[in-house]
């Protein structure tokens, strides 16, 4: 019903679980992920197992080795249940086999592009999922499926053996039910990889005993004004004020975010140039105006001068963003409706998305896809807020996320599937 796995790997799962049981029984414990089941987004390579990128032209693609993330989780003793769905070539929640569904309301999509990891984890089919984000693909399905999703700092997690969409933006991270679980997964994934040209050698630490009172949390009050801000978002802000941290009002400067946002279009068109020139992009299921086939073609008209000037400007915005985040330990706000999602993806700062509460909404259609049964009925579905920090401060994000979950008291509720 949820269409959240492209491929299930029971043989591998049983073998890895058996090994974990034997190792733990003999006293060899690899760590907190030893024996824990997970699903990995089907754009990370798995040896001798199809890795399809969710797209028709690559349905028969079978790698000859595991991607770095799969290797690291294997070394940590985690148990791979299978490959979770993604929107074709990491766009949306529609893949060659259908549309991945939200377990809170199966009449709507799970959002994308890490749709399968979001849906499967929320439904309790696995303990955590591995997602990727270029521009919202961890944040959006974490929001839709009611998860705590962590998009790490750019360069922290190796992308070797993962589909390249945009080399200067692509990031890999965990999607879990609780904020603190992300620290356990990220600790296993963190590390420098000389084969990833964007990899950065930076350690990861998380102190589960650090009091929130040690931290300063900032928010821009304009983000909480207006009729489009949900009651859950405002209630989450009040909960933040009760945590015991120092809370400050700050103002996001007027940064030229739209002017630096051309990288995704240009780099993705370059990454899939062969697909475009071969005409095999016609095989992709989504052919609407803003879907990849047309976006790739349009990006070929971007001038080299304009692209280079945009990248020069992006460098300046990175410095400005660093100064903005240096004011506080954590920045807090709605997951959507502010410039923060785009800004931090282009500047590399990490983000933790946390369940804030619930709303009653009619089934939502991502990018207006007609397969969603938008029948006008109201469904109770989760909604989120997000936490951002300066580069490589994920431990502080988890500290505040854990405290906020405890204060709000909404994170333990699970979806009920009929």
């Amino acid at each position: 019903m949820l269409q959240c796995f492209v491929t299930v790997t029971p043989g591998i799962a049983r073998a890895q679980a058996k090994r974990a049981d034997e190792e733990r029984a003999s006293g060899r414990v690899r760590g907190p992920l030893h024996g824990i089941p997970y699903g990995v987004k089907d754009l990370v390579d798995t040896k001798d197992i199809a890795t399809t990128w969710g797209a028709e032209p690559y349905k028969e693609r079978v790698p000859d080795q595991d991607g770095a993330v799969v290797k690291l989780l294997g070394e940590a003793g985690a148990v791979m249940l299978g490959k979770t769905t993604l929107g074709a070539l990491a766009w949306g929640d529609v893949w060659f086999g259908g549309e991945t569904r939200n377990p809170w309301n199966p009449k709507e999509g799970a959002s994308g592009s890490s749709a399968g990891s979001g849906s499967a984890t929320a439904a309790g089919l696995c303990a955590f999922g591995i997602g990727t984000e270029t521009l919202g693909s961890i944040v959006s399905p974490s929001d839709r499926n009611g998860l705590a999703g962590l998009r790490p700092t750019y360069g922290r997690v190796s992308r070797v053996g993962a589909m390249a969409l945009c080399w200067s933006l692509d990031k890999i991270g965990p999607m879990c039910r609780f904020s603190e679980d992300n620290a356990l997964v990220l600790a296993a994934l963190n590390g420098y990889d000389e084969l990833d040209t964007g990899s950065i050698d930076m350690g990861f630490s998380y102190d589960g005993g650090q009091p929130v009172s040690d931290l300063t949390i900032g928010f821009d009050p304009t983000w909480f004004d207006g009729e489009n801000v949900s009651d859950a978002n405002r209630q989450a802000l009040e909960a933040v004020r009760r945590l015991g941290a120092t809370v400050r009002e700050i103002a996001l400067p007027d940064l030229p975010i739209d002017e630096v946002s051309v990288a995704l279009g240009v780099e993705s068109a370059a990454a899939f140039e062969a697909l475009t020139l071969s005409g095999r992009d016609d095989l992709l299921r989504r052919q609407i105006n803003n879907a990849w086939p047309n976006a790739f073609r349009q990006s070929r008209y971007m001038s080299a001068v304009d692209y280079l000037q945009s990248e020069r400007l992006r460098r300046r915005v990175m410095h400005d963003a660093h100064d903005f985040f240096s004011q506080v330990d954590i920045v807090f706000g709605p997951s959507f409706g502010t410039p923060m999602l785009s800004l931090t993806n282009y500047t590399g700062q990490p983000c933790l998305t946390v369940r804030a509460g619930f709303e009653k909404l009619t089934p939502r259609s991502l990018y207006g896809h007609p397969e969603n049964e938008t029948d006008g009925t109201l469904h109770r579905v989760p909604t989120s807020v997000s936490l951002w920090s300066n580069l490589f401060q994920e431990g502080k994000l988890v500290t505040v996320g854990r405290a906020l979950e405890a204060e709000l008291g909404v994170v333990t509720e699970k979806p009920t599937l009929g």
Side-chain angles (χ1 to χ4, degrees), residues 41 110-115 117-118 129-145 147-152 170-176 182 335-336 341 345 351-353 384 386:
K41 187 174 180 177
S111 190
S113 68
S114 305
S117 289
I130 296 298
T132 69
E133 175 154 325
T134 305
L135 190 61
S137 290
I138 289 176
V139 172
S140 187
S142 294
D143 169 81
R144 181 69 61 91
N145 297 279
L147 298 178
L150 178 60
R151 184 194 75 219
D170 295 342
K171 300 160 285 282
I172 300 177
M175 301 170 68
C176 304
N182 285 287
S335 297
F336 305 101
L341 179 65
N345 268 293
C351 173
L352 176 65
T353 300
S384 73
S386 286

Side-chain angles (χ1 to χ4, degrees), residues 14 17 26 41 54 63 68 74 148-149 171 174 188 227 241 251 258-259 274 280 301 303 309 334 340 395 416:
R14 292 191 186 101
S26 67
K41 187 174 180 177
K171 300 160 285 282
E227 59 183 22
R241 296 183 189 276
D258 289 341
E259 288 81 358
R280 296 177 69 236
Y301 292 95
S303 78
Q309 296 290 41
M340 293 296 286
T416 302

Side-chain angles (χ1 to χ4, degrees), residues 262-303:
V262 301
L264 174 55
V266 173
E267 291 188 39
S268 62
F272 287 97
E273 181 181 41
L275 180 69
T276 300
L277 297 182
S278 70
R280 296 177 69 236
D281 55 349
D282 289 340
L283 298 174
L284 291 170
R285 187 171 174 181
R286 304 297 302 278
Q287 296 289 333
I288 60 177
N289 182 55
N290 58 341
W292 282 140
N294 291 312
F296 293 160
R297 297 178 194 124
Q298 292 166 5
S299 293
R300 299 180 68 83
Y301 292 95
M302 169 66 67
S303 78

